[in-house]
Amino acid sequence: MSRYDFTTILEWDRIEGWFNLPQAVTLQTIVKQLPPRAKVVELGSYKGRSSVAIAAVLPAESILYCVDHFQGSEEHIISHFDVSNLLAEFTQNIEKFGVKDKISTLVMTTSEAATKFDSESVDLVFLDASHDYDSVRADLLNWYPKIKPGGFLLCDDYEVGWSGVMRAIKTVGLAGTVIAESLWMHQKPKPSC
Ligand SMILES: C[S@@+](CC[C@H](N)C(=O)[O-])C[C@H]1O[C@@H](n2cnc3c(N)ncnc32)[C@H](O)[C@@H]1O
């Protein structure tokens, strides 16, 4: 594909979801800086829109763990979105975009998945699962210890409309920056010698 062939980007935009192009490009910039053999965890994959964006630019021999129970979030059920086939749609999309071999799909809750990872073993966690205060707080408390010193935590929907996300980040006491639209980022400090 030539540098000016945007066909793939247009196709990516057809994966249903909420992650927009400025957010995807910004997240890709961070992912590209990770070392080879990086471990990246996405909490909340839905139909694979953000998963494809991440997996497409993973450094060599890296892996993206996509954690989702594929039952939809509270807001999807309330809005009557069809979430009856999420896992199949996710799998089709990661196949279609040629990133299936870079992804390990963990069909389980985010808290169950946290028990499967060692402390300080993950280079980047992207948090985009349930958006209510208690769930986001639990995800932060469960997953922050899994991030390596110098690694990254990114949260989607850091905005007034999702007050639970903003409040949970604040009460857990993590300082960060909004880097694209509602995409928030924190880099875990390295211990000073
Ligand atoms: C906002 S969507 C993710 C959107 C996706 N990151 C994207 O940009 O296209 C949230 C997803 O989190 C999943 N989810 C919500 N709560 C969860 C939990 N406690 N454990 C696992 N998955 C969860 C839902 O099934 C849903 O697919």
Side-chain angles (χ1 to χ4, degrees):
M1 187 178 78
S2 96
R3 286 177 60 189
Y4 302 105
D5 179 352
F6 296 120
T7 319
T8 313
I9 291 174
L10 290 172
E11 289 284 330
W12 172 81
D13 219 26
R14 285 187 198 139
I15 304 176
E16 282 174 39
W18 298 269
F19 213 52
N20 65 30
L21 191 56
Q23 291 174 315
V25 170
T26 306
L27 178 52
Q28 286 187 331
T29 308
I30 314 291
V31 172
K32 285 183 207 168
Q33 291 170 22
L34 299 176
R37 292 180 290 286
K39 273 190 191 176
V40 176
V41 175
E42 175 178 75
L43 304 175
S45 300
Y46 198 62
K47 298 186 183 180
R49 190 173 162 104
S50 47
S51 329
V52 167
I54 296 169
V57 296
L58 280 175
E61 298 173 54
S62 299
I63 181 154
L64 170 64
Y65 295 91
C66 287
V67 179
D68 201 307
H69 52 35
F70 294 99
Q71 291 165 14
S73 297
E74 197 184 358
E75 67 271 17
H76 307 146
I77 314 290
I78 290 170
S79 303
H80 302 292
F81 289 2
D82 181 6
V83 291
S84 57
N85 228 6
L86 276 187
L87 178 58
E89 291 178 79
F90 168 83
T91 307
Q92 266 170 23
N93 283 327
I94 63 172
E95 269 169 13
K96 179 176 167 188
F97 283 85
V99 292
K100 194 176 176 206
D101 60 343
K102 296 179 178 188
I103 290 179
S104 171
T105 308
L106 303 180
V107 185
M108 59 186 73
T109 66
T110 53
S111 49
E112 191 184 349
T115 65
K116 303 194 180 300
F117 287 79
D118 292 334
S119 293
E120 301 192 345
S121 65
V122 177
D123 295 86
L124 185 151
V125 170
F126 172 52
L127 171 48
D128 192 20
S130 285
H131 285 33
D132 61 281
Y133 171 77
D134 289 337
S135 301
V136 179
R137 186 179 161 83
D139 282 341
L140 292 170
L141 294 175
N142 285 333
W143 283 94
Y144 191 70
K146 310 294 178 185
I147 300 173
K148 292 178 183 172
F152 297 92
L153 169 67
L154 287 100
C155 297
D156 196 18
D157 297 317
Y158 185 88
E159 58 182 301
V160 178
W162 292 109
S163 58
V165 176
M166 294 181 94
R167 202 155 60 86
I169 290 172
K170 202 171 170 187
T171 60
V172 169
L174 293 172
T177 322
V178 174
I179 53 171
E181 315 243 335
S182 62
L183 184 63
W184 176 95
M185 186 185 87
H186 163 92
Q187 185 169 20
K188 192 170 191 172
K190 288 185 179 171
S192 47
C193 321

